[in-house]
Amino acid sequence: MSEESTEETRYTTDAAMLAVAAEEARAGLAEGGIPIGAALFTRDGRLLGRGHNKRVQDDDPAMHAETDAFHNAGRQRSYRDTVMVTTLSPCWYCSGLVRQFGIGRVVVGDDRSFLGGQDWLAEHGVEVTVVNDPALIDLMSGWIAANPALWNEDIGQD
């Protein structure tokens, strides 16, 4: 039985949760987009929503991976006991989403290719765990090297 075969599935480790976000990053890349994925979970590992960066695919500058996962999770009464798992350090925009809605924990797959607002999140009480998965670092750093103009557009650089 696969891990996603039932609604009662619990992703009980950071690695299992990060694997969901990594699948999303690969899906975004396969669609011709930026390979960043994210997923929102409850603290006990129930998947609420998953998504990937769709800025290119949807021609929508606001559709980052974290916002897509957040959107796909639907309305929650509270986000305090949720975990945002992202393949790349969240940019300031996505860090603001985490703070705005009080998401309690963030798991970062790669902060070497890009360092966003994760330190700011930690300074404001968000539990931040950095994994620095070699495969995710290779995926993102290789993509950035091959697509510098699109990457600079994504992070708001000229």
Side-chain angles (χ1 to χ4, degrees), residues 64-113:
H64 287 204
E66 296 87 345
T67 52
D68 192 32
F70 182 78
H71 173 83
N72 291 331
R75 246 176 90 197
Q76 306 295 314
R77 189 174 98 44
S78 172
Y79 296 89
R80 186 178 313 113
D81 292 325
T82 61
V83 181
M84 179 64 77
V85 181
T86 179
T87 59
L88 189 66
S89 181
C91 69
W92 287 104
Y93 169 65
C94 295
S95 295
L97 180 145
V98 169
R99 285 288 314 282
Q100 173 69 32
F101 290 95
I103 293 171
R105 181 167 185 248
V106 175
V107 176
V108 177
D110 167 14
D111 75 353
R112 293 190 184 153
S113 301

Side-chain angles (χ1 to χ4, degrees), residues 55 143-158:
R55 294 182 75 252
W143 186 89
I144 291 170
N147 300 278
L150 184 53
W151 174 243
N152 286 332
E153 174 190 323
D154 189 64
I155 61 172
Q157 301 296 313
D158 294 318

Side-chain angles (χ1 to χ4, degrees), residues 3-4 10-27 35-42 45 47 49-52 65-66 83-90 105-111 129-137 139:
E3 194 165 19
E4 291 188 74
R10 296 290 193 257
Y11 297 81
T12 58
T13 65
D14 290 351
M17 292 187 290
L18 190 56
V20 173
E23 287 176 16
E24 288 293 325
R26 290 189 295 275
I36 305 170
L40 187 66
F41 295 88
T42 60
L47 178 63
R50 57 192 289 167
H52 53 273
E66 296 87 345
V83 181
M84 179 64 77
V85 181
T86 179
T87 59
L88 189 66
S89 181
R105 181 167 185 248
V106 175
V107 176
V108 177
D110 167 14
D111 75 353
T129 302
V130 178
V131 176
N132 277 330
D133 178 270
L136 293 175
I137 293 167
L139 173 66

